[in-house]
Amino acid sequence: MRVMGIDCGTGYTGYGVVELCRDGKLLCLTCGAVKLSARESMSARLAIIFKQLGAIIQEHRPDNVAIEDVFYALNVKSALKLGQVRGVAMLAASSAGLQVSEYSPLTIKSAVVGYGRAEKQQVQHMVTQLLNLTEIPEPPDAADALAIAICHLHTSATLERHRAAVGG
Amino acid sequence: MRVMGIDCGTGYTGYGVVELCRDGKLLCLTCGAVKLSARESMSARLAIIFKQLGAIIQEHRPDNVAIEDVFYALNVKSALKLGQVRGVAMLAASSAGLQVSEYSPLTIKSAVVGYGRAEKQQVQHMVTQLLNLTEIPEPPDAADALAIAICHLHTSATLERHRAAVGG
């Protein structure tokens, strides 16, 4: 199973594609961030995000897309801007026929670190360990996107086990 | 000059295309609303908006797209949702190579009614009059979208006159 995590932001939008291998290991296929220039108009910026995320989806063919469901710690104006980026990211997924799963920051931290109130650095450290990387992915938005993908894979695997147990 | 107004909403997203004729008259070319079913996933809803707005743009070939710049009277959660719709509407415009202009509710009401604190019904009434329609456009989101388009046309015309006066 292959999942693309997207960490939406109005400055940087991180992405990361993670594969859950048959032996249970997690493999990072790609990660990075779309940098948005404040000099561009918002509609031009959204077009760049849509194009770049679409290209990553075409190249790495994830089975699912996962994004962070965040709405606190925002004011109304920044929520509206973040929503615009989110809408375009979700559209990139649905245009490729993919489902979008949303996870709260608490769920993501719990899935990756085992502790919902973990610090950002702890999440980045665990992402690096779980994916067997030699260094912390840069920019931080890329690491966050990988954490979202890992969260989806862990959650799906747990659901599968649960279904199998109930079914058997 | 031909302008498409879009009134973004998470339930209905209104649209209206208005042409400013050579004789100064305003002509409504089309108006309506994309209705979003709450039964669909958000990413599926965004795909429907993108497709339908894109189809209207292809059919009526506006020179510009105008949207309402609203962020008050919203809570953070609804701002995030509205932002998602807005992002996709802006992407529909930029995908067709069109610029997006944003106007505050105050500017739109002033341009259409001549009074920034006008009631919704007054705006709908003036839209009907200015476009020489036999009845108020339905749903209300369609009338609001036409008001946004009229605002852009009035604002552009004023700017043109100003430029001409300064130039001459």
Side-chain angles (χ1 to χ4, degrees), chain B residues 44-100:
Chain B
R45 281 186 259 172
L46 295 174
I48 293 166
I49 297 178
F50 184 69
K51 197 175 158 194
Q52 293 202 19
L53 294 182
I56 304 284
I57 291 171
Q58 286 307 312
E59 189 182 345
H60 294 282
R61 305 263 169 202
D63 303 300
N64 261 88
V65 167
I67 63 172
E68 194 176 23
D69 182 17
V70 56
F71 59 85
Y72 58 84
L74 282 176
N75 62 42
V76 169
K77 203 162 185 174
S78 58
L80 197 68
K81 280 191 185 166
L82 181 64
Q84 291 172 176
V85 175
R86 248 175 150 253
V88 166
M90 291 165 90
L91 183 69
S94 61
S95 297
L98 302 178
Q99 295 281 334
V100 179

Side-chain angles (χ1 to χ4, degrees), chain A residues 41-44 46-47 50 69-72 74-77 79-80 82-88 90-91 94-95 98-100 102, chain B residues 41-44 46-47 50 69-72 74-77 79-80 82-88 90-91 94-95 98-100 102:
Chain A
S41 71
M42 180 51 86
S43 56
L46 295 173
F50 184 68
D69 182 17
V70 56
F71 60 86
Y72 58 86
L74 283 175
N75 62 43
V76 169
K77 203 163 184 173
L80 197 69
L82 181 64
Q84 291 173 177
V85 175
R86 249 175 149 250
V88 166
M90 291 166 90
L91 184 68
S94 61
S95 296
L98 303 178
Q99 296 281 334
V100 179
E102 300 181 46
Chain B
S41 71
M42 179 52 86
S43 57
L46 295 174
F50 184 69
D69 182 17
V70 56
F71 59 85
Y72 58 84
L74 282 176
N75 62 42
V76 169
K77 203 162 185 174
L80 197 68
L82 181 64
Q84 291 172 176
V85 175
R86 248 175 150 253
V88 166
M90 291 165 90
L91 183 69
S94 61
S95 297
L98 302 178
Q99 295 281 334
V100 179
E102 301 181 44

Side-chain angles (χ1 to χ4, degrees), chain A residues 2-52:
Chain A
R2 193 176 283 190
V3 174
M4 178 172 176
I6 305 177
D7 181 44
C8 296
T10 47
Y12 287 84
T13 286
Y15 60 83
V17 182
V18 179
E19 176 140 354
L20 177 62
C21 306
R22 285 179 188 277
D23 60 2
K25 279 188 188 154
L26 294 168
L27 186 69
C28 171
L29 298 176
T30 187
C31 73
V34 184
K35 186 174 184 280
L36 299 173
S37 163
R39 279 178 301 177
E40 301 272 10
S41 71
M42 180 51 86
S43 56
R45 280 184 259 172
L46 295 173
I48 293 166
I49 296 179
F50 184 68
K51 197 176 160 192
Q52 293 202 19

Side-chain angles (χ1 to χ4, degrees), chain A residues 104-120:
Chain A
S104 72
L106 194 88
T107 306
I108 296 165
K109 287 176 178 178
S110 300
V112 175
V113 184
Y115 172 57
R117 308 258 167 238
E119 296 293 327
K120 218 171 175 60

